[in-house]
Amino acid sequence: MLTSFKSSSSSSEDATDNPPPPPPLCLASSSAATSAAHHLRRLLFTAADFISQSNLPAAQNLLPILSSNSSPYGDSTERLVHLFTKALSVRINRQQQDPTSENAATWTTSEMTSSTVFTSSVCKEQFLFRTNNNNSDLESCYYLWLNQLTPFIRFSHLTANQAILDATESNNGNGANLHIVDLDISQGLQWPPLMQALAERSSNPSTPPSLRITGCGRDITVLNRTGDRLTRFANSLGLQFQFHTLVIIEEDLSALLLQIRLLALSAVQGETIAVNCVHFLHRFFNEDHGDMMIGHFLSAIKSLNPRIVTMAEREANHGDPSFLSRFSEAVDHYVAIFDSLEATLPPNSRERVTLEQGWFGKEILDVVAAEAEERKQRHRRFEVWEEMMKRYGFVNVPIGSFAFSQAKLLLRLHYPSEGYNLQFLNDSLFLGWKNRLLFSVSSWK
């Protein structure tokens, strides 16, 4: 990770009225590869269209074709079609059985192990143990791989960190106190570079700046581990540091709002507050209640009177209530993701295959097979966030040029490919692959 700063996420029924599926596509000819890829995608959309019309038998007839011509080990199109076909199969099974059954749209252990590549039988045994006994450990493992193999998380962290440093630059005198409320701290990977930058920019080494982090998450064990690591790192820098945990249950909005407002009441005089919302806020979009949930949440954040609010989100419309629209948006988004992985990782990368199946596969399953409150991936494009933030009293703080330079350096050093690009739009920084924007980072006050 860059550490330099300037000092300033089947069974099929016989359908007698539907013709039997045609034979598998022939993909042997390299000259027909592009045409075959387009044909596979058209079949994928045709199957989704049948499902949207509740013509499940017709959709089921297409699944064997898609399955036989896709693979977790093929090119980017074949790998993508493999995951979307699997997700469509789960959705069909749900609609045929009980669409309200709990946890129907989550990966089961058998589904995960059937599509996950293991380097040895020992690895598989450890995977099964962790899956059955500590799901948060497995999630943490995938998260670390995502951070290492792709620029998505590191881009978000570096850009948000620089926005915080820029916003608190005037506090670099003696007694500067910064309180960061990280609404989804996970492993805490974002903060060591910022902590180092804070320690380096202190004008008086005898009175280093004070940093307090309130780390939010769902698992108290993970939060405690993260706090211990950050505390040890702060001590090595001679930084005055405090870490507080805040366990949040996203389904219990009222309790979460109460906890945030209690933070406002317990604010320390002279303390500058920064709220970090990296790949988090999309979870509060709710089809049944419109913008009400996210509105309550943004109002609670506003009550903290933060100096800066940093936000990173996907550039995708996975929150659309229309299944077909959401499906189309997801295919376009993950086509770019998988193309970028293919261009920047070795052809036989086991880590890439495991990450695609375990992390992105879970996301695709959620977007395609889950509905309403059960679905967690509810991403919205930047223009939706921009309108929402302004509606609740926030003002856009432009991302600085140094953040752009850092993101450019990150891509050049760690992910050398002509496909990645950076764009400044609406005072915010966007990371894209070729002609499609993938992630945005913005700051507000």
Side-chain angles (χ1 to χ4, degrees), residues 271-288:
E271 192 175 58
T272 298
I273 296 178
V275 179
N276 190 62
C277 309
V278 171
H279 307 303
F280 179 78
L281 287 179
H282 63 270
R283 305 175 193 178
F284 290 92
F285 271 110
N286 185 287
E287 297 164 14
D288 296 330

Side-chain angles (χ1 to χ4, degrees), residues 235-367:
N235 290 339
S236 72
L237 298 173
L239 190 69
Q240 296 183 44
F241 180 72
Q242 296 180 50
F243 185 85
H244 302 285
T245 62
L246 183 59
V247 178
I248 61 175
I249 302 175
E250 293 160 25
E251 293 77 11
D252 190 353
L253 180 63
S254 59
L256 177 56
L257 295 178
L258 177 60
Q259 289 173 320
I260 293 176
R261 291 195 168 101
L262 286 175
L263 282 176
L265 293 174
S266 62
V268 177
Q269 186 175 6
E271 192 175 58
T272 298
I273 296 178
V275 179
N276 190 62
C277 309
V278 171
H279 307 303
F280 179 78
L281 287 179
H282 63 270
R283 305 175 193 178
F284 290 92
F285 271 110
N286 185 287
E287 297 164 14
D288 296 330
H289 302 95
D291 299 338
M292 185 176 65
M293 286 180 64
I294 192 72
H296 287 319
F297 189 75
L298 291 176
S299 297
I301 292 177
K302 191 70 174 175
S303 70
L304 294 173
N305 192 29
R307 172 71 62 87
I308 193 77
V309 176
T310 49
M311 180 171 66
E313 284 291 343
R314 300 274 187 102
E315 273 300 288
N317 194 21
H318 296 155
D320 197 305
S322 165
F323 163 69
L324 203 57
S325 298
R326 192 169 71 243
F327 183 87
S328 176
E329 183 81 7
V331 170
D332 289 343
H333 178 78
Y334 287 102
V335 161
I337 294 285
F338 277 47
D339 283 349
S340 72
L341 292 174
E342 180 151 296
T344 55
L345 293 169
N348 298 319
S349 170
R350 292 180 178 272
E351 292 83 3
R352 185 202 66 203
V353 176
T354 305
L355 182 64
E356 288 175 349
Q357 301 298 307
W359 184 277
F360 293 119
K362 184 178 179 181
E363 291 181 349
I364 290 170
L365 180 66
D366 183 77
V367 173

Side-chain angles (χ1 to χ4, degrees), residues 104-135:
T106 58
W107 290 110
T108 64
T109 300
S110 60
E111 286 174 322
M112 286 290 286
T113 54
S114 68
S115 60
T116 301
V117 180
F118 299 97
T119 56
S120 68
S121 59
V122 175
C123 291
K124 185 168 183 176
E125 289 175 5
Q126 291 176 345
F127 174 92
L128 287 169
F129 175 81
R130 292 167 77 130
T131 303
N132 294 331
N133 294 276
N134 196 337
N135 207 34

